[in-house]
Amino acid sequence: MKMKWLISVSQGSIHKVTESLEKKGVKVLDVLEMINVIIVEPDNSLVSEIKAIEGVENVEEERNINI
């Protein structure tokens, strides 16, 4: 299973951040506008590169939880 990152963004910047991610070649899997989160497959991107995008508040790896 490929790694996924959850990117939290500031209010009103989700479309701008999504566009910036796509320009960097990051595969955007889902945009959750109601909670200001973008789910991506990062490929070769670094967390620091993603955090440097204006509007990005946090980047974390998605974790799978089995019950």
Side-chain angles (χ1 to χ4, degrees):
M1 184 173 175
K2 290 196 174 207
M3 179 174 34
K4 295 178 187 173
W5 288 351
L6 304 175
I7 302 172
S8 302
V9 301
S10 59
Q11 187 73 28
S13 64
I14 199 157
H15 297 291
K16 185 175 160 186
V17 173
T18 300
E19 190 175 295
S20 296
L21 290 166
E22 289 172 339
K23 284 181 183 176
K24 287 185 174 289
V26 176
K27 183 177 179 183
V28 175
L29 300 175
D30 205 355
V31 177
L32 308 173
E33 290 188 57
M34 294 296 289
I35 58 172
N36 293 317
V37 170
I38 303 167
I39 302 172
V40 303
E41 254 180 40
D43 290 336
N44 295 325
S45 298
L46 300 174
V47 171
S48 59
E49 292 174 345
I50 303 298
K51 285 184 175 180
I53 297 172
E54 186 177 339
V56 172
E57 293 184 346
N58 191 34
V59 180
E60 62 184 75
E61 187 177 337
E62 180 184 63
R63 309 221 188 275
N64 290 329
I65 299 173
N66 296 320
I67 299 176

